[in-house]
Amino acid sequence: MADLFGEDDKPASKAPSPLAERMRPRTLDEIVGQERLLAPGRPLREAIERDALQSIILWGPPGTGKTTLARVIAATTKAHFISFSAVLSGIKEIRAVMTEAEQTRKRLGRRTILFIDEIHRFNKAQQDAFLPRVEAGDIVLVGATTENPSFEVISALLSRSKVYVLQPLGPDAIVQILRRTLADDERGLGGRGGRAEDAALNAIATFANGDARVALNTLELAAAMSPTIDAALIQQVLEKRALLYDKTGEEHYNLISALHKSMRNSDPDASVYWLARMLEAGEDPLYVARRMVRFASEDIGLADPQALAVAVAAKDAVHFIGMPEGNTALAQAAIYLAAAPKSNAVLRAYSDAAAAAERQVAEPVPLHLRNAPTPLMKGLGYGKDYQYAHDAPDATTDMECLPPSQAGRKFYEPTERGYEGEIRERIKKRRRPDP
């Protein structure tokens, strides 16, 4: 029967699942790229196959098989299996699951394996709710996370779980998955008679950046455009490579650490590479500029006083012209900072002075260093015995400017690198010899 618009009101046929979902491995042997964990004889595989699994946290980037492994565990184990996502579930759902797990254990004598996708999205109170059932043995927790469990999973759960790190899939593993998909008549693209050149598969593997889901989605899109998949077609499909990056997650700190340490090691090539990785992935350029300004004073200091000016100029340039034009200003600064002579003497000087200021008695400013703008203050000795440096032949005197408990202490010890070598000589002439 047709409706008012002439459309048949019969229910439409169910749309096919995405290719990545259809090709999801169903057995341990089908999982590619995680042989270090799942090869025959490995402890995790043995525990799964013997149905002796204890609570685990699966940590790895997207598309490495965390959810897939959980589903394989569900198909392999004899335990009762419950799965839910931290994105969609709250404390009410957690309590209901805990009650179900307790009843299942009492009624059937079976453990419950509870898979929690994106466990890092649960707050502390929600994670605490699992503890009693984990300790009682009612549930085996299988958590999946893209974030470092050290920071995102409470210590009580972490201490009761084994963390397994899933690695990004290498290009060879991605190509293997793509070839399997092209040959699979039941779930893959084999029934369509699709063909793909080696260069096209390699291009997809490079683009996927270790994520099997991205690779399969790209292949599915290309196959919908043409039965013959070549490198030229893939170039049309791929507008921009999706770099793994999370502005607030661990990869953010990993990359800025790599940039900082490459500049510190005076490696301009690595410095500009890590800079490009951050900027092309969408990092805030002003964040990078701020880190460079800090680096200029922390790791270069007075070995090259111009370094701070270069870093600040790069920050101003990015703020003035924006991106992407500002990327070369940041690259110029990164290369300059990497090539500059290095010294952390300024950082050490401030750190030692701050520690002294914090831990020791805050003595009054010596009277000879105080101004005496009123007769009363002058009568109290303010400014007495002050020595005006410009009256001395070298514009310096032997007047002590530190409080008594710190007298003679040397906070700043310049190196001999770069311009700081000249500063070292000046200070050496000014400082009084040790008694």
Side-chain angles (χ1 to χ4, degrees), residues 165-211:
V165 181
L166 279 71
Q167 300 296 332
L169 302 182
D172 290 344
I174 295 287
V175 170
Q176 182 181 343
I177 292 170
L178 296 176
R179 291 192 187 284
R180 177 192 295 173
T181 302
L182 287 166
D184 192 314
D185 293 334
E186 177 189 354
R187 297 182 293 160
L189 300 176
R192 301 185 188 180
R195 301 184 307 277
E197 296 179 354
D198 289 345
L201 298 182
N202 291 331
I204 294 174
T206 301
F207 169 81
N209 203 36
D211 189 327

Side-chain angles (χ1 to χ4, degrees), residues 167-327:
Q167 300 296 332
L169 302 182
D172 290 344
I174 295 287
V175 170
Q176 182 181 343
I177 292 170
L178 296 176
R179 291 192 187 284
R180 177 192 295 173
T181 302
L182 287 166
D184 192 314
D185 293 334
E186 177 189 354
R187 297 182 293 160
L189 300 176
R192 301 185 188 180
R195 301 184 307 277
E197 296 179 354
D198 289 345
L201 298 182
N202 291 331
I204 294 174
T206 301
F207 169 81
N209 203 36
D211 189 327
R213 186 183 300 106
V214 170
L216 289 170
N217 288 343
T218 304
L219 180 66
E220 184 174 29
L221 180 58
M225 296 172 65
S226 171
T228 302
I229 302 172
D230 56 21
L233 176 62
I234 296 303
Q235 284 300 114
Q236 295 179 35
V237 173
L238 307 181
E239 291 184 359
K240 188 175 179 68
R241 185 180 180 199
L243 294 175
L244 170 63
Y245 199 65
D246 180 352
K247 293 183 183 180
T248 61
E250 186 190 9
E251 194 66 8
H252 164 83
Y253 297 106
N254 287 344
L255 288 176
I256 194 62
S257 176
L259 172 60
H260 194 124
K261 290 172 181 173
S262 297
M263 292 191 298
R264 178 183 290 157
N265 202 47
S266 300
D267 188 335
D269 302 299
S271 300
V272 77
Y273 169 77
W274 293 118
L275 171 69
R277 278 277 299 270
M278 297 186 77
L279 296 180
E280 293 302 311
E283 178 57 78
D284 178 3
L286 288 177
Y287 168 78
V288 179
R290 288 193 296 270
R291 294 292 301 195
M292 287 185 175
V293 170
R294 170 66 182 186
F295 178 90
S297 57
E298 177 180 323
D299 283 274
I300 298 174
L302 293 170
D304 183 353
Q306 185 66 16
L308 183 58
V310 169
V312 172
K315 180 267 297 180
D316 290 342
V318 170
H319 183 72
F320 179 64
I321 64 175
M323 294 294 283
E325 290 84 356
N327 54 15

Side-chain angles (χ1 to χ4, degrees), residues 124 126 159 207 217 241 261 278 330 347 376 381 388:
K124 182 180 183 299
Q126 290 170 318
S159 66
F207 169 81
N217 288 343
R241 185 180 180 199
K261 290 172 181 173
M278 297 186 77
L330 291 174
L347 172 66
L376 172 62
Y388 187 57

Side-chain angles (χ1 to χ4, degrees), residues 103 193 314 353 398 422 434:
Q103 293 174 349
D398 61 358
E422 295 186 34
D434 292 330

Side-chain angles (χ1 to χ4, degrees), residues 18 66 77 105 115 123 152 159 170 195 211 271 274 292 360 370:
K66 299 182 295 296
T77 184
R105 187 175 178 87
F115 172 63
N123 60 35
E152 304 297 339
S159 66
R195 301 184 307 277
D211 189 327
S271 300
W274 293 118
M292 287 185 175
Q360 299 178 19
R370 302 187 192 186

Side-chain angles (χ1 to χ4, degrees), residues 63-101:
T64 52
K66 299 182 295 296
T67 302
T68 292
L69 180 53
R71 292 188 181 185
V72 170
I73 291 172
T76 305
T77 184
K78 296 177 182 177
H80 180 50
F81 193 91
I82 300 176
S83 172
F84 64 82
S85 170
V87 177
L88 304 175
S89 306
I91 195 70
K92 180 180 178 181
E93 289 80 5
I94 293 173
R95 288 172 177 162
V97 166
M98 295 301 99
T99 300
E100 181 182 348

